[in-house]
Amino acid sequence: MSESSHPAAVPGFRALHAHGPAALADNLRPLFQTEAWQGADGNSEVARQLREIGVDVGAVWAASRWNMGEDGEAPNRRHPVPGDPRGPRTAAALRAVAGRPRAAALLGIYLWSQASDALQYTFRHGRIIVPLRAFVETWEACRDDAPDEVCRAEGDAVAVLLRTLVTQMHTSAARSAGSLPRLADAAARAAERCVALLRAARAIPDPTSPFRRVLVPQAVTRIRYFRALAEAAAAADAAMAGAPERLGPALEALRAAETDRHLNYILASELRSYRMHLTELHRNLGARWLTLDRLKNIYVYPFGLRDVSPAAAVAALRALADRDERPHLLGVQAFAVRGSLKMDDVWSSVDRAARPYGGVSLSMPNVRLEQPDGTFIEELACDVRFTEFGNHYVRFRYSARGRSPQQVRDARFRLSNLHADIRVLWVAPDGSPVPVDPGGALPPERLFDLADLLQRATADLIRKGTEIAQGRAHVVTSVYEASTGLGPAAPASERRPVNMCDEMLAAFGSQVLLQPVSYGTATLCDWTLRQRNPVLLEGVRHLGDLVAVATNATTVALVGTAHFKISQYGSLAEFVASLNGLFSAWNATLADHLRIVATLLADHDVNNGTDLAERKERLTREQLRLHEFASEVRTTLTTISSPTFLASALESRMLHQLLRASRFEQQAAVVTERLRELLQEPIAARLAALERLHGDRRREEEAARERSRRRLMDGTLSAITVFAGVYALIGTVQVALDAGILDGAQAVAATVLVTASALVTGFAVFHWTGRRR
């Protein structure tokens, strides 16, 4: 029976599905045509139908968003975090509608559309995976509640669709794993999952089912997509290993997959990107390729301390060095705490009065990186440096030989906080791997995570709970030897050494040394296409030297220079990269000051003189702290910019070139301007105005109290005068009584009348006198 034919007699089918399969199919197609159905949370027909059966569509929309929820922003993780509430909520929503006709499948496909949409915005897959897995697991438990076989089969197919999306996320992550074989394997598994989707969709007993009519062609399309991707990744890996035969057919498979009429424009754009980069790779198979015969990568993860001065931080760790203490951090014991940094002579300033650059270092065991299957990646030296300038940083270092452009690209990308999950382990003195103990935090999934844990753990050595401000990570690649040969993987005997930077830049693969580290990996061999306007420093040492500075990567290739001088220049680049953490801490400190002052000045209650005095004292202390901080900032900036900061005039010029390329002057200008504005902030004038306002209010209150006292006295005197007159009248009545002019009753009546009149008159006089004041 064809996909468009009518179903056989399915018991109760017409009664259960009165809303009509054709209309529903029309509503489902846009979800797959866009892969990210915008407005599906409120405007689509699918959302409307879900609302009609009581589904909280807004909650479904939020379930896949990495930045929504009561627990705030999601951690930068690819795997779900235990206890994520989105799972139980999704399960409850599915159980509530599992017995309704087609409701489970409709809910699942809407959840798929929202998760697919979220996938376009983030590499943080953990929160996206949670509701998908919850739906799949819950459906297994409640699928028997479906009203008929058609609804049950539709729910089964949609559950497989959600599983394919999880596998698709694994493939997306594998692109950022620094391993083309891992990507090829993940894409092949995704293709097999789509084969399962095709079987499940075809198993729906109603051939006119809208879910069957939509899912069958989509499954076929996605099988082609993932198989083409798997073959392209495997072919690219083989080509760069010296076996390019598969690359041409892989490109043809990508082109064929792009022409699939059911392919949406989002997946088509991904295939086009794969094809463009591999086409460039294929075009240059016969060109001269660059091989990095000897290089060193240093990963710099800078940070600053927000509430501890650089001098205090260095002193605290230097005290550990003096006592020969080796603290335990993250599951291992430090090798050593060294009271001074390992530096060469160039850092010795010729200005004896200048502030010297120095600090302490915490040497940790080596770090072993592995793919999740145990495949060895690299072993790196690790230490944490605290300097007297405040440009603290975690430092990972390794040297390598005979690396291809793809391998260099993958190594530099390990810097990223969006690198795919790998195993990050300590190396014990006996060479055995030791798990990192995160101390209650999430375990590290990449090099960035370990750097973050080390920053916080070492800051706690200085003072528990010390706040850090993280800077932008940076990788410094120093090239000591390089060569070129025809095609990728040319044997060493057929390569010729690079002696000039022009030779290096002319070779295919040199572009990887000029590019910044990307935020995430979106395509295959993303280094093959050249970027516009690389920043190359001129006049470094010799005409054959190359120094390239990008946003988060610096390449030092002084091929005509001795090893120790190349390392010396690399230390300059490392220093400049670490300054980003210093600027982050300065900006955080300024923001803290602004917040504190704004809070203290925001209270305009002038009735509390004690509170006003306390605020004035706190503001004075805060201003003094700001002045001390400003002095520290100016001293540091002046020292770094000084022509005598370094012993060598030549290295000083090189340092200033690196500083300019890193936009040091702009960053310094921003901090200096903010400092100037805060120091000129008329806090004293605002306090004086507040104090004058408080004094005026007190004087007004005192004048009001004085007027009240005077009214009371005047009223009392007036009342006494009235009552004195009353007594005089009463005396007159008494005289008239004694003289017989009045009898007793008349005397009493006259006395009562006089007394009452006196009371009324006294009361009136009292109030009249008060009103006059």
Side-chain angles (χ1 to χ4, degrees), residues 345-580:
D345 289 343
V346 73
W347 292 99
S348 176
S349 175
V350 296
D351 185 356
R352 298 302 178 186
R355 182 182 179 184
Y357 177 63
V360 297
S361 68
L362 188 72
S363 297
M364 298 296 294
N366 283 0
V367 177
R368 178 182 175 89
L369 304 180
E370 300 175 349
Q371 293 291 352
D373 63 358
T375 302
F376 175 75
I377 298 176
E378 203 63 71
E379 185 172 321
L380 305 92
C382 171
D383 64 303
V384 188
R385 298 188 171 187
F386 287 82
T387 76
E388 292 171 351
F389 281 16
N391 53 317
H392 318 311
Y393 59 103
V394 177
R395 181 180 188 266
F396 301 103
R397 173 185 55 82
Y398 83 96
S399 298
R401 302 186 66 177
R403 297 304 167 98
S404 69
Q406 179 69 35
Q407 291 171 323
V408 173
R409 182 266 171 208
D410 290 339
R412 284 158 69 102
F413 184 70
R414 288 178 206 135
L415 179 81
S416 174
N417 65 331
L418 290 179
H419 194 285
D421 58 312
I422 55 178
R423 293 180 182 175
V424 183
L425 305 165
W426 295 118
V427 179
D430 61 0
S432 61
V434 178
V436 176
D437 180 5
L442 294 171
E445 290 186 344
R446 54 188 67 85
L447 200 59
F448 177 93
D449 298 337
L450 179 58
D452 177 72
L453 291 171
L454 278 171
Q455 289 172 355
R456 300 178 190 282
T458 52
D460 283 343
L461 286 178
I462 297 167
R463 192 175 70 195
K464 195 68 176 177
T466 296
E467 294 188 34
I468 66 172
Q470 294 179 323
R472 190 182 301 279
H474 199 100
V475 59
V476 178
T477 301
S478 296
V479 178
Y480 298 98
E481 298 174 17
S483 59
T484 64
L486 289 177
S493 59
E494 298 178 10
R495 299 197 305 263
R496 64 182 183 218
V498 169
N499 297 314
M500 297 287 288
C501 68
D502 289 344
E503 299 173 18
M504 183 179 294
L505 294 176
F508 186 73
S510 63
Q511 56 267 40
V512 74
L513 300 174
L514 311 179
Q515 298 170 354
V517 176
S518 59
Y519 186 56
T521 305
T523 189
L524 295 171
C525 305
D526 57 2
W527 56 270
T528 55
L529 296 180
R530 296 183 181 273
Q531 295 194 4
R532 295 179 182 274
N533 302 322
V535 180
L536 303 179
L537 301 190
E538 297 291 339
V540 178
R541 293 186 65 87
H542 305 121
L543 290 177
D545 293 339
L546 169 68
V547 174
V549 179
T551 305
N552 55 2
T554 299
T555 297
V556 178
L558 314 182
V559 292
T561 302
H563 181 283
F564 77 93
K565 292 299 291 184
I566 299 174
S567 297
Q568 187 179 85
Y569 192 94
S571 72
L572 300 180
E574 186 178 330
F575 168 78
V576 172
S578 68
L579 293 176
N580 195 264

Side-chain angles (χ1 to χ4, degrees), residues 172-191:
S172 175
R175 284 199 304 256
S176 297
S179 170
L180 288 172
R182 177 176 170 181
L183 173 58
D185 182 62
R189 288 197 303 270

Side-chain angles (χ1 to χ4, degrees), residues 163 228 246 270 280:
R163 296 180 69 191
R246 298 169 59 183
E270 295 177 5
E280 188 69 14

Side-chain angles (χ1 to χ4, degrees), residues 88-126:
R89 292 171 189 164
T90 303
L94 175 57
R95 283 192 296 266
V97 300
R100 294 173 177 263
R102 280 190 173 142
L106 197 65
L107 174 62
I109 210 162
Y110 179 72
L111 181 60
W112 174 89
S113 73
Q114 293 309 307
S116 298
D117 178 42
L119 192 58
Q120 303 300 315
Y121 294 93
T122 181
F123 287 90
R124 306 180 189 192
H125 298 157

Side-chain angles (χ1 to χ4, degrees), residues 39-319:
D41 55 318
N43 299 328
S44 73
E45 286 299 313
V46 174
R48 183 185 61 78
Q49 292 183 34
L50 286 173
R51 282 197 179 89
E52 289 176 355
I53 60 175
V55 174
D56 185 353
V57 174
V60 177
W61 184 86
S64 299
R65 302 292 150 173
W66 64 269
N67 59 344
M68 293 190 65
E70 297 175 357
D71 48 347
E73 181 177 318
N76 186 18
R77 315 292 287 190
R78 191 175 73 82
H79 299 290
V81 177
D84 194 314
R86 292 159 180 76
R89 292 171 189 164
T90 303
L94 175 57
R95 283 192 296 266
V97 300
R100 294 173 177 263
R102 280 190 173 142
L106 197 65
L107 174 62
I109 210 162
Y110 179 72
L111 181 60
W112 174 89
S113 73
Q114 293 309 307
S116 298
D117 178 42
L119 192 58
Q120 303 300 315
Y121 294 93
T122 181
F123 287 90
R124 306 180 189 192
H125 298 157
R127 285 192 175 177
I128 306 177
I129 292 175
V130 167
L132 302 181
R133 285 182 175 168
F135 184 99
V136 172
E137 294 168 0
T138 306
W139 177 248
E140 287 294 325
C142 67
R143 63 187 298 273
D144 291 339
D145 296 338
D148 62 14
E149 288 301 320
V150 174
C151 290
R152 189 173 298 112
E154 289 175 342
D156 290 342
V158 170
V160 177
L161 174 68
L162 299 187
R163 296 180 69 191
T164 66
L165 187 57
V166 174
T167 312
Q168 180 179 337
M169 281 183 268
H170 294 333
T171 305
S172 175
R175 284 199 304 256
S176 297
S179 170
L180 288 172
R182 177 176 170 181
L183 173 58
D185 182 62
R189 288 197 303 270
E192 290 304 311
R193 186 74 75 190
C194 292
V195 171
L197 173 62
L198 180 60
R199 287 196 300 265
R202 285 176 172 168
I204 298 174
D206 174 15
T208 64
S209 162
F211 295 96
R212 177 170 177 161
R213 292 168 62 187
V214 169
L215 292 180
V216 166
Q218 283 299 318
V220 173
T221 295
R222 290 162 195 271
I223 291 171
R224 295 183 67 185
Y225 171 89
F226 286 111
R227 284 179 176 173
L229 173 56
E231 178 58 24
D237 186 56
M240 284 181 286
E245 299 80 12
R246 298 169 59 183
L247 196 56
L251 280 169
E252 291 302 320
L254 289 174
R255 291 189 184 95
E258 279 186 77
T259 63
D260 192 308
R261 66 187 183 90
H262 295 291
L263 189 72
N264 64 57
Y265 69 93
I266 292 176
L267 295 181
S269 71
E270 295 177 5
L271 289 172
R272 182 170 60 253
S273 176
Y274 302 149
R275 179 176 53 80
M276 289 180 63
H277 286 80
L278 291 192
T279 297
E280 188 69 14
L281 185 67
H282 189 259
R283 182 184 298 120
N284 287 276
L285 288 176
R288 296 202 69 85
W289 278 57
L290 179 68
T291 298
L292 284 305
D293 296 305
R294 190 184 297 273
L295 63 87
K296 177 174 66 177
N297 275 330
I298 294 178
Y299 304 93
V300 176
Y301 291 91
F303 67 102
L305 303 181
R306 299 176 59 173
D307 49 359
V308 177
S309 69
V314 170
L317 290 178
R318 192 164 281 160

Side-chain angles (χ1 to χ4, degrees), residues 620-693:
T620 301
R621 289 198 304 268
E622 187 63 27
Q623 281 297 90
L624 288 175
R625 189 173 75 89
L626 180 62
H627 279 279
E628 293 174 358
F629 172 70
S631 177
E632 174 77 19
V633 170
R634 288 165 178 161
T635 300
T636 301
L637 292 178
T638 301
T639 302
I640 294 173
S641 302
S642 171
T644 58
F645 176 42
L646 301 181
S648 166
L650 178 59
E651 269 68 26
S652 180
R653 182 172 62 82
M654 294 177 182
L655 175 61
H656 290 161
Q657 283 183 310
L658 288 168
L659 289 171
R660 282 195 299 271
S662 68
R663 303 178 66 84
F664 170 81
E665 294 176 352
Q666 290 89 332
Q667 294 182 79
V670 170
V671 172
T672 303
E673 179 61 21
R674 292 184 66 190
L675 263 176
R676 185 189 63 79
E677 292 174 354
L678 288 174
L679 290 172
Q680 290 181 351
E681 174 73 16
I683 293 179
R686 295 171 68 179
L687 276 173
L690 196 62
E691 197 166 9
R692 284 195 302 272
L693 186 60

